[in-house]
Amino acid sequence: MAATLPQIQVSAQVRAVKFKINARLPLATNLNNNHNNGPILTLIMLSRSWKFGGLKCSYSPNGTNPEPKEKEKRLAELQTKNTGFWPRKIFKWLEGNVDDSPRIPEARGSIESFRNEAFFIPLYQLYLTFGGIFRLTFGPKSFLIVSDPTIAKHILKDNSKAYSKGILAEILDFVMGKGLIPADGELWRIRRRTIVPAVHLKYVVEMIGLFGRATDRLCKKLEAAAANGEDVEMESLFSRLTLDIIGKAVFNYEFDSLNIDTGIVKAVYIVLREAEDRSVAPIPVWEIPIWKDISPKLKKVNAALKLVNDTLDDLIAICKRMVDEEELQFHEEYINEQDPSILHFLLASGDDVSSKQLRDDLMTLLIAGHETSAAVLTWTFYLLAKEPSVMAKLQDEVDSVLGDRFPTMEDMKKLKYTTRVINESLRLYPQPPVLIRRSLEDDLLGKYPIKRDEDIFISVWNLHHCPSRWEDADKFNPERWPLDGPNPNETNQNFSYLPFGGGPRKCIGDQFATFENVVAVAMLVRRFNFQMALGAPSVEMTTGATIHTTEGLVMSVTCRTRPASNSINSDSEATPVSR
Ligand code: HEM
């Protein structure tokens, strides 16, 4: 199973751990500009200093290199003779350590090629050796890897002003510009204040109907596959489902990608794929001036980007006309029934239509809300196929709560086990698995002082798989979240669980996404049984913006005997599911 993590064995004498790290980093984790260290990293760490496989490496837990014996002896002599004339600083200087502050444990490595392993897996192995914060160094470049909940909270929440999105903003610039995810500082504050009100409760409730209609279209596709006995590749279907949903929810555009491959759908996928490719590219070729003009791939990307941008401009113009003509008064929970999209809300609120900023924000929402939800659904169905007892319990709940109709807001409160399944899926497969920050000033992380301009990866994967925090950490066990307990989040789990980040930059679509996933899972498991298809490629992880499978999630689908409507729970007002 892909989530089963290799454990490293650390012997007392020699700790020799050879890690091959695939530098297919999550979207936020590219090594570009001066961070460019090539595609693959191989770390070889030896406790203290030993020769191993012809390569000499060193590691010491306080970050200093072991000194030669003679020098140590001389220092010891000097120290024993110290009568107060030699200040302590001078001994430290002779040791090559000018200040008293503790040094962050350091893992040093060399770079080497190795494919087909998700980057965060070796980071997990290093975490088991080095602990909640360590420095990962290759040549002149280093990164801080944080897997400690208190330090994560400090960076994300308590001292969040001292951190920017760093390399994430650089990589995403071509597609998101200064959109809400990459933006920092005052611009981010202004945009966040403008956009968050658009995702109000009434809007989210309205979206539940949209989630149901879109999932119903997917059900029809699956019904056809089931009738023909065809296997289905669920990862790409989930990607299309969530694209259809987010297009309609953000700018009232019907991609209908589940049914047709129009030019715009293809263009969106070209742009999304490019964003992922850039996040894992060893060299930022797109920045080389001549290459930019002659590369057929980049030409294609630019053409696709132009089509997407032109379409967004058109949608903004159409929406602007609607807003000008309508007589609705703008208020806190403003919603236009014909077009409840976020774009409509923003324009009605007086947001500047001509600005590139609005387009950047729409593009950001499209990407943020599409890949993440698709990945959650993919891994949830993979986990469910592996745990039939969880699937059976889930189907029981859905049968009894939903009966034969589309889910409503009321059902969201009742589908408690379904929600726990999503909570647990997000623990095992956090999307994205790593959060990126850069320090804007000197700071203290735990007991360790750090300088400005440190690139930091907060490994949500490590936080969510920590063996001392979670019982049977690798087990898919929705029961770990009591049904009568609060919905787990970063606050009630003390930053050990960060499915939607935390602090001021927490996801603005958390409730939207949770309901979207609950509706999709509930409707799908009510209608179908899912199994891994016979002869399907084994499911392995790889990283782009989120965790993908390497070769898709190929499943066989069979129709369930439709459960009878449940008269107690069924809501006569709610729309029956179309047949
Ligand atoms: C299951 C689906 C989703 C997951 C797992 C998810 C996860 C996250 C996480 C972890 C962050 C924090 C990133 C960081 O701190 O660096 C984030 C931020 C964000 N998310 Fe989501 N997200 C999901 C769905 C959505 C949806 C549907 C939308 C939009 C409708 C959305 C919009 C955003 C935006 C705009 C931000 C940036 C907020 C800011 O920086 O102020 N997300 N998301």
Side-chain angles (χ1 to χ4, degrees), residues 244-345:
D244 287 357
I245 288 175
I246 204 74
K248 200 79 184 131
V250 172
F251 34 73
N252 194 29
Y253 188 80
E254 193 71 75
F255 284 110
D256 198 14
S257 68
L258 272 167
N259 292 316
I260 36 171
D261 254 343
T262 53
I264 183 71
V265 170
K266 282 184 193 150
V268 168
Y269 277 111
I270 290 171
V271 172
L272 291 176
R273 204 52 54 225
E274 177 67 8
E276 298 220 303
D277 286 354
R278 289 189 184 194
S279 77
V280 298
I283 300 165
V285 284
W286 57 90
E287 281 173 9
I288 303 169
I290 299 170
W291 185 251
K292 242 193 316 210
D293 302 324
I294 57 167
S295 156
K297 186 187 172 219
L298 285 184
K299 276 188 187 165
K300 209 168 142 190
V301 170
N302 288 336
L305 199 54
K306 183 168 182 329
L307 179 59
V308 175
N309 281 338
D310 288 351
T311 309
L312 285 180
D313 286 345
D314 288 349
L315 291 172
I316 292 170
I318 293 167
C319 191
K320 171 83 173 112
R321 280 199 295 277
M322 272 179 89
V323 170
D324 286 347
E325 282 161 20
E326 79 190 11
E327 280 166 16
L328 273 174
Q329 274 300 328
F330 185 77
H331 58 100
E332 226 178 39
E333 287 216 313
Y334 166 92
I335 201 154
N336 178 303
E337 311 254 306
Q338 275 88 53
D339 172 10
S341 70
I342 291 180
L343 170 61
H344 200 110
F345 180 97

Side-chain angles (χ1 to χ4, degrees), residues 1-3 377-387 429 532 538-540 549 553 555:
M1 175 181 155
L377 290 170
T378 300
W379 292 106
T380 302
F381 276 78
Y382 170 69
L383 291 164
L384 288 170
K386 295 258 160 199
E387 287 290 346
Y429 294 94
M532 296 306 295
S538 79
V539 179
E540 307 291 343
T549 69
L553 178 68
M555 304 189 103

